[in-house]
Amino acid sequence: MAYLLGVFMRNSSGQKILTIAIPAYNIEDYIDRAVSNIVACRALPAIDVIVVNDGSTDTTADKAKAYAEKYPESVRVINKCNGHYGSAVNTAINEARGIYFKILDGDDEYYSDGLDDLLSFLNSSGTADMVLTDYEIVYEETGNSHLFRQQLTPCVTMSFDDSNLQPCAMHSIAFKTSVLKSMRDRLDEGVSFTDVEFVLYPMGGVSSVSYCDSLVYSYKIGREGQSVDLACIDKNMPSHELVLLHCVDWLERNLTHLTSAKRAYASKRIARMLDDHVHRCLLSEEPKSWLPGLKTIVSRCDRCQSVMNYSSSKALKLLRASGYFTYMPLNALMRRKVGQMS
């Protein structure tokens, strides 16, 4: 659905409407695509773009600086030492000037028309603490894509507890910046997979949600070295393990503060990450290295029984039923299947 875009610069108080944080590390081949689609928006004067150059050693910073010099009212570059994704997002939250806050990974892109729709939506009816849009996953090797739409009524602001919202990907979310600035937990630094923390940690401050049914985010899969790259499973396993444990910690600490709807939402999202962790362990080249951590994580999730209730991993059920005796045979079987497919 396309929204009529009014002519506006900022909201009536002079504040920017949306901050877009772009964590950027050695993405010189992609940063132009990411930023150019934003600055092409008709609503650019209402946007606060923060490119957080996370210690890049290529020309990422120079390319981002060129946009900041050309669009000084809308684009900023913050240079910092490498601290990984969470560190870049934390920096952007601290520096954000917009009423709302959204992330764009530097190797992905927004659709300009969809972003204009979102800005118009926020300008005319932006009262919810959490605003959702549609997104797509694009498999760059094949060009195939898959569209993800929200199962909510468009243009209606409702209570989070009444929304029956299923766990959302970072790509679909814009939070009120005030919610992010006031949350007690910040994203982990020095590790990957902290986009899950971004989805969960603001939940304590979210009371309402609304849906702008426009396609904004195009999430690209297929770049070598991404955290979702199967070849990087063992390299990224410590990050996945740590973030999963911290998400369980967060849920345990906040169980009494979250409504039943928020507990279910968080438990479902953590269960998905747990199932993904089992899958990663069973594809690892060094499976014995990760078995103790997996047992610890499962034990911790048992204490938050709602997480285990939402797990759909048949492999995890088999591992628990066998006392993990089937762990090594399952690993060998799954690695053989992957080898046959490649």
Side-chain angles (χ1 to χ4, degrees), residues 36-331:
S36 63
N37 279 11
I38 298 174
V39 299
C41 290
R42 292 168 290 169
L44 180 62
I47 301 174
D48 168 40
V49 182
I50 305 176
V51 180
V52 183
N53 174 43
D54 193 41
S56 296
T57 57
D58 61 5
T59 62
T60 297
D62 293 334
K63 290 186 174 183
K65 182 181 176 182
Y67 284 99
E69 291 174 346
K70 188 173 181 178
Y71 304 96
E73 293 297 315
S74 294
V75 181
R76 292 181 282 158
V77 179
I78 296 177
N79 295 302
K80 58 182 288 299
C81 296
N82 182 253
H84 289 259
Y85 189 87
S87 174
V89 174
N90 290 337
T91 297
I93 291 172
N94 291 338
E95 298 293 331
R97 298 170 182 170
I99 298 172
Y100 284 87
F101 183 98
K102 190 168 177 60
I103 298 174
L104 173 64
D105 288 351
D107 53 356
D108 295 332
E109 65 179 320
Y110 286 162
Y111 286 109
S112 300
D113 289 345
L115 186 56
D116 273 331
D117 287 347
L118 174 60
L119 265 293
S120 184
F121 180 88
L122 296 177
N123 189 54
S124 61
S125 55
T127 59
D129 298 315
M130 181 180 183
V131 176
L132 303 175
T133 54
D134 300 329
Y135 74 97
E136 68 176 4
I137 292 180
V138 177
Y139 301 89
E140 294 200 288
E141 288 186 359
T142 64
N144 295 334
S145 63
H146 184 74
L147 177 64
F148 291 84
R149 293 193 180 277
Q150 303 300 325
Q151 301 302 309
L152 295 175
T153 302
C155 306
V156 175
T157 297
M158 65 186 75
S159 163
F160 184 94
D161 290 355
D162 294 334
S163 67
N164 193 30
L165 186 66
Q166 299 303 303
C168 301
M170 170 277 291
H171 319 90
S172 66
I173 301 174
F175 285 115
K176 268 195 173 174
T177 304
S178 58
V179 170
L180 298 176
K181 287 182 180 289
S182 63
M183 66 184 183
R184 289 180 295 179
D185 297 90
R186 284 291 188 263
L187 277 60
D188 278 310
E189 303 192 359
V191 296
S192 304
F193 304 105
T194 48
D195 58 302
V196 180
E197 296 176 331
F198 179 79
V199 170
L200 293 179
Y201 291 176
M203 279 297 104
V206 172
S207 298
S208 55
V209 60
S210 62
Y211 171 38
C212 166
D213 58 331
S214 289
L215 174 58
V216 177
Y217 200 114
S218 184
Y219 171 34
K220 314 296 188 183
I221 289 183
R223 180 168 68 86
E224 184 178 349
Q226 284 182 305
S227 60
V228 294
D229 186 353
L230 287 177
C232 297
I233 281 181
D234 286 289
K235 173 185 174 183
N236 292 325
M237 192 70 84
S239 290
H240 204 267
E241 185 176 273
L242 182 144
V243 170
L244 177 51
L245 279 170
H246 284 185
C247 287
V248 176
D249 287 340
W250 172 86
L251 181 58
E252 284 187 323
R253 285 186 282 107
N254 289 278
L255 274 175
T256 59
H257 306 296
L258 296 173
T259 64
S260 59
K262 291 179 181 179
R263 287 197 298 271
Y265 177 91
S267 297
K268 290 175 184 177
R269 184 60 190 88
I270 295 172
R272 288 184 187 177
M273 192 175 189
L274 170 63
D275 292 351
D276 183 36
H277 192 74
V278 173
H279 184 71
R280 288 170 179 272
C281 287
L282 295 179
L283 286 175
S284 169
E285 293 180 348
E286 304 172 7
K288 290 183 179 179
S289 299
W290 314 118
L291 182 55
L294 176 61
K295 290 180 177 179
T296 298
I297 290 168
V298 172
S299 176
R300 292 291 307 281
C301 289
D302 273 333
R303 286 163 48 181
C304 290
Q305 188 58 46
S306 58
V307 174
M308 296 307 301
N309 289 343
Y310 289 117
S311 170
S312 61
S313 172
K314 293 180 181 179
L316 178 56
K317 290 180 174 64
L318 180 58
L319 289 173
R320 299 182 79 201
S322 68
Y324 295 91
F325 179 77
T326 54
Y327 179 74
M328 293 302 295
L330 279 175
N331 173 267

Side-chain angles (χ1 to χ4, degrees), residues 27-38 63-64 66-67 106:
I27 51 167
E28 61 184 1
D29 293 334
Y30 306 96
I31 188 67
D32 281 319
R33 179 179 68 184
V35 181
S36 63
N37 279 11
I38 298 174
K63 290 186 174 183
Y67 284 99

